[in-house]
Amino acid sequence: MLRRGDRGPEVTALQQRLRQVWLYHGDINGQYTPRVEEAVRAYQWSRGIAEETGVYGPRTRARLETETRAP
């Protein structure tokens, strides 16, 4: 699971995937900022994913990975 404050290559991959679905337009810098959290929240809401809001957990990851290509 990834959440606000996390950093690293997994966050970079998340940012790139969110950009592919037009929900993230910020820097690709590997930092889980409030802007990334908001993009994850918007993605979860738009797909009806029942998971902790704004947190990139297993349900959100599985769905996003089916809709995007690996960075």
Side-chain angles (χ1 to χ4, degrees):
M1 293 216 308
L2 298 172
R3 62 186 63 218
R4 189 189 313 186
D6 287 344
R7 297 172 171 251
E10 288 187 340
V11 178
T12 300
L14 169 60
Q15 291 170 323
Q16 291 169 334
R17 286 182 185 275
L18 288 168
R19 185 170 280 178
Q20 290 176 44
V21 294
W22 303 98
L23 289 173
Y24 180 73
H25 307 288
D27 294 333
I28 304 294
N29 58 12
Q31 298 178 28
Y32 203 114
T33 62
R35 196 170 194 180
V36 174
E37 183 179 55
E38 181 56 36
V40 170
R41 184 179 294 117
Y43 180 77
Q44 291 168 323
W45 179 84
S46 68
R47 303 315 193 268
I49 299 169
E51 193 160 61
E52 187 177 347
T53 306
V55 173
Y56 190 53
R59 290 182 188 144
T60 306
R61 179 186 297 257
R63 181 69 184 269
L64 185 60
E65 286 180 354
T66 66
E67 294 184 39
T68 57
R69 67 187 190 294

